[in-house]
Amino acid sequence: MIERGLLIVLSGPSGVGKGTVRKALFEQEDIKLQYSISATTRRPREGEVDGVDYFFKEREEFEHMIENKKLLEWAEYVGNYYGTPIDYVEETLASGKDVFLEIEVQGALQVKEAFPEGLFIFLAPPSLSELKSRIVNRGTETEDLINNRMRVAKEEIELMDAYDYVVENDKVENACARIQAIVTAEHCRRDRVSARYKRMLEVE
Amino acid sequence: MIERGLLIVLSGPSGVGKGTVRKALFEQEDIKLQYSISATTRRPREGEVDGVDYFFKEREEFEHMIENKKLLEWAEYVGNYYGTPIDYVEETLASGKDVFLEIEVQGALQVKEAFPEGLFIFLAPPSLSELKSRIVNRGTETEDLINNRMRVAKEEIELMDAYDYVVENDKVENACARIQAIVTAEHCRRDRVSARYKRMLEVE
């Protein structure tokens, strides 16, 4: 019996470097994650392959998927739909592979709604930790600048609440190592492992 | 403000290789764990240093620690007491270091009682996963042998229930890597990180 894979969702505030971290992660040789392929209504660009880069769909087809709740999340950008097809994710998980999804905060919240057993990782800007020294060294910054940074930080911390893990993006390689560690650790969680052993014993 | 360290408890059935894994773990260069120093009433051997290898105690002193609940766990082996002093663990955690404790199953359960917020890792024998192929390839093993292995496996799986993680000791280096991943991941847990950020913002 194959152990079901994990759905790993990487998200975080815009500009934090989600795409850069995802790219670096998938350049690693020992990576065992399957990148989630999105569905879209935008036209394929030269060299893009259906089922590899995207699942290319007609508008009507995509709207049909929305109606039939066949998307973990979706959004419309500049006139085109983008979304994550549930069937592709489910089939990949069932084959025992972990699926990795990199996505905006609003999309992550939609995924959490549809798939609460996913693993939600918040990529945090290093400015959050830097904030401490900035506060301590107040004299060197204007009051307004500090207050503004505090407000932004508070908003970001509130966003974290829906997530299981927070990974600081101080350096891309550190962030990748932490994400890999989280995936490894989650596969060692006792509830998962003992369920696997118990199923194994029932096999006979 | 220093973030409090984690107490990491490695345990598992006798003979699984806890000591070997612990030793290999502490030989790694990037290890940031502090090994928990035990108290004992046995005499120091040549070269052993008080406060480094053990905290050497008189029997009366040790019994006083038991009475005053100054030990996370304790046991008596061949006429000598051994135990884990709470004060040493608490001070090390307060200094921001993670404390690592390698211990028998009975001791781990005592620690869990006294320190439920610890991280409990069960080191599992690879025989558990090997069991599956043995069951599948039944023909090659006697019924008695299979039944005995199943019984032992069931007992081991029941032992796991008190733990947070299960690490299979298929290879010492794999087990070490999984333990390191668990520690890294636990430091990224959202509840821990957001509490840290929230404390940080309250500093001002």
Side-chain angles (χ1 to χ4, degrees):
Chain A
M1 184 175 184
I2 294 165
E3 191 194 353
R4 194 173 148 84
L6 304 174
L7 175 65
I8 297 132
V9 180
L10 182 71
S11 189
S14 67
V16 73
K18 294 186 288 293
T20 312
V21 168
R22 185 251 303 153
K23 204 160 163 273
L25 199 58
F26 279 87
E27 277 166 4
Q28 295 185 358
E29 276 181 22
D30 58 341
I31 195 82
K32 284 184 195 114
L33 306 170
Q34 172 68 49
Y35 186 63
S36 171
I37 302 170
S38 296
T40 183
T41 55
R42 87 153 163 70
R43 299 295 95 201
R45 294 184 190 135
E46 202 174 314
E48 283 185 342
V49 178
D50 186 45
V52 175
D53 299 291
Y54 283 96
F55 296 110
F56 294 103
K57 303 280 176 192
E58 299 302 320
R59 267 194 98 77
E60 202 183 333
E61 231 180 327
F62 200 102
E63 282 164 358
H64 196 74
M65 290 174 84
I66 296 173
E67 277 159 37
N68 290 288
K69 301 193 184 305
K70 287 291 189 187
L71 296 162
L72 271 183
E73 55 79 38
W74 64 274
E76 199 170 0
Y77 296 112
V78 282
N80 287 309
Y81 287 125
Y82 293 84
T84 303
I86 287 181
D87 289 351
Y88 174 73
V89 169
E90 283 289 354
E91 283 160 20
T92 313
L93 295 176
S95 79
K97 278 190 198 138
D98 297 331
V99 175
F100 184 90
L101 190 57
E102 175 240 314
I103 199 172
E104 297 299 322
V105 171
Q106 285 312 315
L109 295 177
Q110 281 186 58
V111 176
K112 173 127 182 164
E113 193 80 21
F115 207 95
E117 67 271 36
L119 219 70
F120 295 82
I121 304 177
F122 186 90
L123 194 67
S127 57
L128 265 180
S129 330
E130 279 166 22
L131 197 66
K132 193 180 174 177
S133 56
R134 286 177 194 276
I135 293 168
V136 174
N137 303 315
R138 286 221 137 196
T140 61
E141 308 261 1
T142 69
E143 193 76 8
D144 272 5
L145 201 63
I146 296 265
N147 286 341
N148 190 44
R149 287 222 175 93
M150 297 282 284
R151 191 183 48 72
V152 171
K154 276 178 185 160
E155 285 168 8
E156 279 166 354
I157 292 164
E158 274 161 30
L159 278 181
M160 286 178 196
D161 278 349
Y163 293 77
D164 303 300
Y165 293 95
V166 177
V167 162
E168 192 177 293
N169 189 17
D170 52 348
K171 276 188 184 175
V172 172
E173 59 265 38
N174 292 349
C176 287
R178 288 177 195 130
I179 293 168
Q180 293 255 49
I182 290 167
V183 176
T184 300
E186 282 284 330
H187 279 285
C188 293
R189 273 181 50 177
R190 190 254 310 158
D191 45 359
R192 262 189 252 286
V193 180
S194 84
R196 188 167 76 217
Y197 285 139
K198 280 171 190 165
R199 276 198 307 272
M200 194 175 86
L201 290 178
E202 281 159 12
V203 160
E204 59 121 30
Chain B
M1 185 175 185
I2 295 166
E3 191 194 353
R4 195 174 147 83
L6 304 173
L7 176 65
I8 296 133
V9 180
L10 182 71
S11 189
S14 68
V16 74
K18 294 186 287 294
T20 312
V21 168
R22 184 250 304 153
K23 206 162 161 272
L25 200 57
F26 280 86
E27 278 167 2
Q28 295 186 358
E29 276 181 23
D30 58 341
I31 194 80
K32 283 184 197 117
L33 307 170
Q34 172 68 49
Y35 185 63
S36 170
I37 302 169
S38 296
T40 184
T41 55
R42 86 153 163 71
R43 299 296 95 201
R45 292 182 193 138
E46 204 175 312
E48 283 185 345
V49 178
D50 186 47
V52 175
D53 299 292
Y54 283 97
F55 295 110
F56 294 104
K57 304 282 177 190
E58 298 303 321
R59 267 193 97 74
E60 202 184 332
E61 231 180 327
F62 200 103
E63 283 163 358
H64 196 74
M65 289 174 84
I66 297 173
E67 278 159 36
N68 290 288
K69 303 194 183 301
K70 288 292 190 186
L71 296 161
L72 271 181
E73 55 77 39
W74 65 274
E76 198 171 1
Y77 295 113
V78 284
N80 288 309
Y81 288 126
Y82 294 83
T84 303
I86 287 182
D87 289 350
Y88 174 74
V89 170
E90 283 289 356
E91 283 158 21
T92 312
L93 295 176
S95 79
K97 278 190 197 139
D98 297 331
V99 175
F100 183 88
L101 189 56
E102 175 240 316
I103 199 170
E104 297 300 321
V105 171
Q106 285 313 313
L109 295 178
Q110 282 186 56
V111 177
K112 173 128 181 161
E113 193 80 21
F115 207 96
E117 67 271 38
L119 219 70
F120 294 82
I121 304 178
F122 186 89
L123 194 67
S127 56
L128 265 179
S129 334
E130 279 166 21
L131 197 67
K132 192 178 175 176
S133 55
R134 286 177 194 278
I135 294 167
V136 174
N137 303 314
R138 294 223 129 191
T140 61
E141 309 260 1
T142 70
E143 193 77 8
D144 273 4
L145 201 63
I146 296 265
N147 286 341
N148 190 45
R149 287 223 175 91
M150 297 281 286
R151 190 184 47 73
V152 171
K154 276 177 184 160
E155 284 169 10
E156 279 165 355
I157 292 163
E158 273 163 29
L159 277 182
M160 284 176 198
D161 279 348
Y163 293 78
D164 302 301
Y165 293 95
V166 177
V167 162
E168 192 176 294
N169 189 17
D170 52 348
K171 276 189 185 175
V172 173
E173 59 265 39
N174 292 350
C176 287
R178 289 176 194 129
I179 293 168
Q180 293 255 49
I182 290 167
V183 176
T184 299
E186 282 285 330
H187 279 286
C188 294
R189 273 181 51 179
R190 189 255 308 158
D191 44 1
R192 264 189 252 286
V193 180
S194 82
R196 189 168 75 218
Y197 285 138
K198 279 170 190 166
R199 276 198 307 274
M200 195 173 86
L201 289 179
E202 280 159 13
V203 160
E204 60 118 30

